């Protein structure tokens, strides 16, 4: 896709739209529910959000091997969100930087 006419929409989706949508869902909503509604301790909330985020990216048994890439990323993003005082912009920025670096690395490997 990165070499097709759909490259620009794909890059925008991966580098901007996905980080915004996923951070709102997994950090703002899920993290908020765990902390405020269910009164989970922060580290329990970080673990839950990390695992749900990671497993949602496993789409089939073959892609399960990538879970070990998603867990550290999700954990870092969760910690960033928590340590920044639940600042959604901090986690969106970190997530967007990660995805942008992945796109750049993919282009460099072509």
């Amino acid at each position: 896709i990165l070499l097709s006419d759909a490259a620009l929409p794909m890059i925008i989706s991966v580098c901007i739209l996905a980080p915004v949508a996923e951070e709102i869902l997994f950090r703002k909503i899920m993290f908020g529910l765990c902390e405020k509604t269910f009164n989970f301790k922060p580290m329990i909330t970080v673990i839950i959000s990390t695992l749900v985020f990671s497993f949602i990216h496993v789409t089939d048994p073959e892609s399960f091997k990538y879970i070990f890439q998603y867990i550290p990323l999700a954990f870092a993003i969760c910690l960033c969100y928590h340590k920044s005082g639940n600042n959604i912009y901090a986690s969106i920025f970190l997530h967007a930087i990660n995805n942008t670096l992945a796109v750049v690395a993919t282009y460099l490997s072509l």
Side-chain angles (χ1 to χ4, degrees):
I1 292 176
L2 291 176
L3 295 177
S4 72
D5 291 339
L8 185 57
M10 179 66 169
I11 291 168
I12 291 169
S13 175
V14 168
C15 297
I16 300 169
L17 300 178
V20 170
E22 290 180 352
E23 291 311 307
I24 289 170
L25 176 63
F26 293 106
R27 257 45 87 190
K28 199 69 171 171
I29 295 172
M30 180 183 291
F31 207 97
L33 280 173
C34 287
E35 265 190 336
K36 293 177 178 73
T37 305
F38 300 118
N39 295 317
F40 291 153
K41 294 181 189 235
M43 279 316 293
I44 298 298
T45 300
V46 166
I47 291 168
I48 290 169
S49 184
T50 294
L51 292 176
V52 173
F53 177 89
S54 299
F55 278 102
I56 204 82
H57 285 84
V58 175
T59 55
D60 56 50
E62 180 63 27
S63 67
F64 184 79
K65 62 187 173 195
Y66 298 114
I67 196 79
F68 301 106
Q69 293 172 335
Y70 285 109
I71 288 174
L73 167 66
F75 188 73
I77 293 172
C78 283
L79 279 181
C80 171
Y81 179 72
H82 174 65
K83 295 292 186 181
S84 70
N86 295 0
N87 182 343
I88 193 69
Y89 298 109
S91 62
I92 289 171
F93 180 75
L94 183 59
H95 194 151
I97 291 295
N98 174 78
N99 288 11
T100 301
L101 290 173
V103 168
V104 168
T106 301
Y107 267 115
L108 292 175
S109 70
L110 295 176

